Amino acid sequence: AEAKENNIGAWLTPAVNIHRSPLCGRNFEYYSEDPFLTGKMAGAMVTGIQSNHVAATVKHFALNNKETNRYNSNAIVSERAIREIYLKGFEMIVQEAKPWSVMSSYNIINGHRASENREMLEDILRGEWGFDGMVTTDWWTKGEHYKEVKAGNDVKMGLGFPERLLEAMEKGALTREEMEICAKRILRLILKID
């Protein structure tokens, strides 16, 4: 009700990352008891928010584990640990609560920037889990905008670099079709909110 009163269509919550370090500056806001409780509690929050036609934006996808140097922190983790511990809550939320939006994180995951990580955003999030919503970057991520679009990030917050997208398209590094896919997902989200 408060979001609607303030003309807000998307709420950047819930935050769900299992604590990997006691020094992570966002630990206070994360559902992070364990993957199962994280998935259940945050999933209920998503369902409640979206029942009022306000988009819930599950964040920070994924493995955000520190506040200092968030842009360049490289989370080195085995695939098994990623899937069984750090992604399990996100997976439950996506499959059970069907969030309309997900926010990618600033950090790097095994050498690949999260906002440019096609394996995470397209192969796992959309391909394996069936997410059909919109993905946004975190504010002023250090990722290259056209690489984020190619990876499945639909919106670059807070502003984006349209001139870089056009330049990448002119050079053949990005196609109009890739941008149209993102635009469709943005439009579908707009049609769901009041």
Side-chain angles (χ1 to χ4, degrees):
E2 190 173 319
K4 284 182 166 184
E5 185 178 310
N6 288 284
N7 200 28
I8 295 170
W11 190 356
L12 304 182
T13 195
V16 294
N17 268 299
I18 302 300
H19 294 182
R20 299 189 70 231
S21 164
L23 304 177
C24 178
R26 303 304 279 274
N27 283 349
F28 71 93
E29 73 174 301
Y30 284 140
Y31 286 100
S32 57
E33 295 291 328
D34 65 51
F36 181 79
L37 288 176
T38 292
K40 289 298 184 183
M41 291 188 304
M45 186 174 185
V46 167
T47 300
I49 292 168
Q50 292 182 169
S51 71
N52 291 288
H53 301 281
V54 173
T57 304
V58 183
K59 63 181 187 178
H60 301 93
F61 190 69
L63 288 103
N64 180 57
N65 62 358
K66 60 189 292 190
E67 195 69 16
T68 303
N69 198 26
R70 281 174 74 191
Y71 294 110
N72 298 306
S73 172
N74 189 6
I76 306 293
V77 190
S78 71
E79 182 176 357
R80 181 176 180 181
I82 288 173
R83 287 181 176 273
E84 292 180 3
I85 301 170
Y86 303 108
L87 293 186
K88 185 52 76 176
F90 284 102
E91 180 182 10
M92 290 174 66
I93 296 162
V94 166
Q95 292 180 337
E96 295 174 16
K98 311 275 189 256
W100 299 344
S101 183
V102 167
M103 179 187 289
S104 60
S105 54
Y106 288 127
N107 57 287
I108 298 164
I109 303 168
N110 290 331
H112 300 281
R113 193 165 292 285
S115 65
E116 299 174 353
N117 195 323
R118 187 170 178 84
E119 180 182 10
M120 294 289 287
L121 301 176
E122 287 292 333
D123 299 348
I124 295 173
L125 180 65
R126 289 191 171 101
E128 292 181 27
W129 301 346
F131 177 71
D132 64 354
M134 184 199 76
V135 175
T136 180
T137 69
D138 206 338
W139 290 84
W140 305 113
T141 179
K142 297 296 184 188
E144 179 59 54
H145 196 172
Y146 83 90
K147 290 180 182 178
E148 291 169 338
V149 168
K150 290 182 81 63
N153 254 301
D154 304 305
V155 171
K156 185 172 184 81
M157 289 206 289
L159 185 53
F161 300 99
E163 68 284 350
R164 289 188 194 170
L165 294 181
L166 290 174
E167 183 181 347
M169 190 174 72
E170 289 166 2
K171 291 181 177 180
L174 180 67
T175 66
R176 180 182 174 97
E177 291 75 26
E178 289 168 320
M179 289 190 284
E180 287 175 351
I181 289 168
C182 294
K184 286 178 187 175
R185 291 191 287 235
I186 295 165
L187 292 172
R188 278 200 308 262
L189 173 66
I190 291 169
L191 292 174
K192 290 180 181 179
I193 58 179
D194 283 346

